[in-house]
Amino acid sequence: MSEQFSIDYLKKILQEKDYKMTGQRKEILQIFLDQPSQHHLSAEDVHLILRNKKSEIGLATVYRSLELLASLGILLKIDFGDGCSRYELNTTDPDSHCHHHLICLKCRKVIEFDEDKLDELEHTIAERSGFKIINHEVKFFGYCKECRESMDN
Amino acid sequence: MSEQFSIDYLKKILQEKDYKMTGQRKEILQIFLDQPSQHHLSAEDVHLILRNKKSEIGLATVYRSLELLASLGILLKIDFGDGCSRYELNTTDPDSHCHHHLICLKCRKVIEFDEDKLDELEHTIAERSGFKIINHEVKFFGYCKECRESMDN
DNA sequence: ATGGGTGCAAAGGTTTTGCACTCCG
DNA sequence: CGGAGTGCAAAACCTTTGCACCCAT
């Protein structure tokens, strides 16, 4: 639901768990709200964006806030194998399919792909192993269209 | 093929690419051969196992060897979000399905699950995005049977 | 014999932590 | 007001790198 993508939603969730709504947390979430998708920001990225906005927030606070937002389910923490954790808005909700990431082995570009299709597999897993699945992370490694074309030459 | 799981295979692959077969590389691969599956070893783990075997191999060499074995397709490098890269034997071959990992959010245990079922999804992706898929990595996060039972109490 | 491989220690990068100060509730 | 949250710097980690020496080929 769109309720999930607002500062008010953050406030509500924080209050429910007795966390405080601080200016820092608000500003950090706002960055993700401003960049609807496509961006997978690292703590360093967020820190830099804040700096450009003249908002000096300590790097340690950025790390702590991202971790908190992820634990609240507002952000998703993902690892693309580039040496740091990256975060994106968690757009997963019961009605929508979540997306996968295609990672180009040549140019390291990350492409989003909207199609889930893992329901059947999840069902098989739950049945056979008794594992209760909360979330999943699917990454495909390969070569993007552009790199494949440049490799043909 | 079983040929893939031997020191001789390593020797052949190394020679093909003008790498040298050294005692260190042999010993490090042997550790993975000795522990057929279930283990996802970090560089530190491998270094410790070597030390217990009275084989003093420098940590830097362990890192370099693991990286090399992964680049040769003999090992797979995986990130389970615990702060370090882990490796396992690459049992992927054209005929067999590869497996997924179920990661318990409570006890951090990693369970292997043998079922691929991603052919259709891969085909859809290739068709729509022109992305050539080489490999994929699928992780399911949730709660294992044991943790779920202990949480019910 | 020769160039790739190794070991060691130092450097690099990301993330966490201790502590005094701040400010939300 | 009181305690959670913050900022800063230091520390903790994992990983990479420079360089002298070693040893497969």
Side-chain angles (χ1 to χ4, degrees), chain A residues 50-104:
Chain A
L50 288 166
R51 186 165 277 182
N52 291 339
K53 284 184 166 185
K54 313 290 180 223
S55 298
E56 292 289 343
I57 294 181
L59 183 55
T61 298
V62 174
Y63 273 102
R64 284 184 285 228
S65 299
L66 292 174
E67 201 57 51
L68 178 67
L69 290 170
S71 77
L72 295 173
I74 293 172
L75 296 182
L76 281 180
K77 184 178 189 174
I78 314 171
D79 182 279
F80 292 115
D82 66 338
C84 63
S85 294
R86 295 183 171 276
Y87 297 82
E88 64 178 23
L89 266 183
N90 180 10
T91 62
T92 309
D93 74 79
D95 301 325
S96 85
H97 289 294
C98 66
H99 63 275
H100 306 313
H101 292 109
L102 316 183
I103 304 170
C104 181

Side-chain angles (χ1 to χ4, degrees), chain B residues 20 22 24-25 57-58 61 64:
Chain B
K20 292 178 181 172
T22 65
Q24 289 88 334
R25 289 170 179 174
I57 295 180
T61 298
R64 285 184 285 228

Side-chain angles (χ1 to χ4, degrees), chain A residues 79 100 102-105 109 111 113-118 120-122 124-126 128-145 148, chain B residues 79 100 102-105 109 111 113-118 120-122 124-126 128-145 148:
Chain A
D79 182 279
H100 306 313
L102 316 183
I103 304 170
C104 181
L105 295 168
K109 177 168 49 194
I111 302 169
F113 192 86
D114 285 317
E115 177 112 19
D116 196 327
K117 290 253 182 97
L118 292 181
E120 194 195 337
L121 182 54
E122 288 198 6
T124 307
I125 289 172
R128 286 207 216 149
S129 66
F131 198 89
K132 163 78 173 171
I133 295 171
I134 300 296
N135 204 348
H136 60 235
E137 189 180 310
V138 182
K139 290 180 275 191
F140 291 95
F141 298 93
Y143 298 101
C144 70
K145 202 173 178 181
R148 287 173 66 198
Chain B
D79 183 280
H100 307 313
L102 316 183
I103 304 170
C104 181
L105 295 168
K109 176 168 50 193
I111 302 169
F113 192 85
D114 285 318
E115 177 112 18
D116 195 328
K117 291 254 183 95
L118 292 181
E120 193 195 339
L121 182 54
E122 288 198 6
T124 307
I125 290 173
R128 288 206 215 150
S129 65
F131 198 90
K132 163 78 173 169
I133 295 171
I134 300 296
N135 204 348
H136 60 234
E137 190 180 308
V138 181
K139 289 180 274 191
F140 292 94
F141 298 93
Y143 298 100
C144 70
K145 202 173 179 181
R148 287 173 66 199

